[in-house]
Amino acid sequence: MAAVGLIGEVLLLPFAPVRGSGWVMRQVLREAERIYYDPAAVRAELALLEEQLTAGEIDEEEFDRREDELLDRLEIGLRADYGNSDGTA
């Protein structure tokens, strides 16, 4: 039976780069999501947004729209526990 597994691996060998690329893409996506939803990063963006409002760089409407987006990201990040693996939250 081990020969069947070996034969299968040999026959699938030409597809190894495709399988490897899929794994790499999943890892990149997972890391990108972790960074995007990291509560510490979202809080920093919220602070910057408030600074922009205070400096008059954005108006109240733009602030509210972007704040809502950031608060949604923060909620998702906290719920999914993003950022806690390395102690950043």
Side-chain angles (χ1 to χ4, degrees):
M1 289 252 184
V4 173
L6 181 60
I7 292 170
E9 287 297 316
V10 169
L11 291 174
L12 292 175
L13 192 58
F15 299 105
V18 174
R19 289 187 293 171
S21 296
W23 180 85
V24 168
M25 293 300 290
R26 285 189 300 276
Q27 299 306 311
V28 168
L29 179 60
R30 187 172 296 134
E31 181 63 10
E33 286 178 340
R34 187 194 65 76
I35 292 168
Y36 183 74
Y37 291 111
D38 181 7
V42 176
R43 287 184 187 112
E45 287 186 53
L46 281 166
L48 178 62
L49 186 63
E50 191 168 337
E51 289 175 15
Q52 290 174 331
L53 177 65
T54 303
E57 297 172 9
I58 60 173
D59 62 14
E60 204 52 60
E61 185 179 323
E62 176 72 7
F63 175 83
D64 289 341
R65 184 185 64 76
R66 290 174 52 193
E67 181 187 41
D68 287 344
E69 292 171 2
L70 288 169
L71 291 174
D72 288 344
R73 278 176 49 195
L74 181 60
E75 182 181 342
I76 291 168
L78 291 171
R79 200 170 353 132
D81 204 26
Y82 282 104
N84 281 338
S85 62
D86 60 348
T88 58

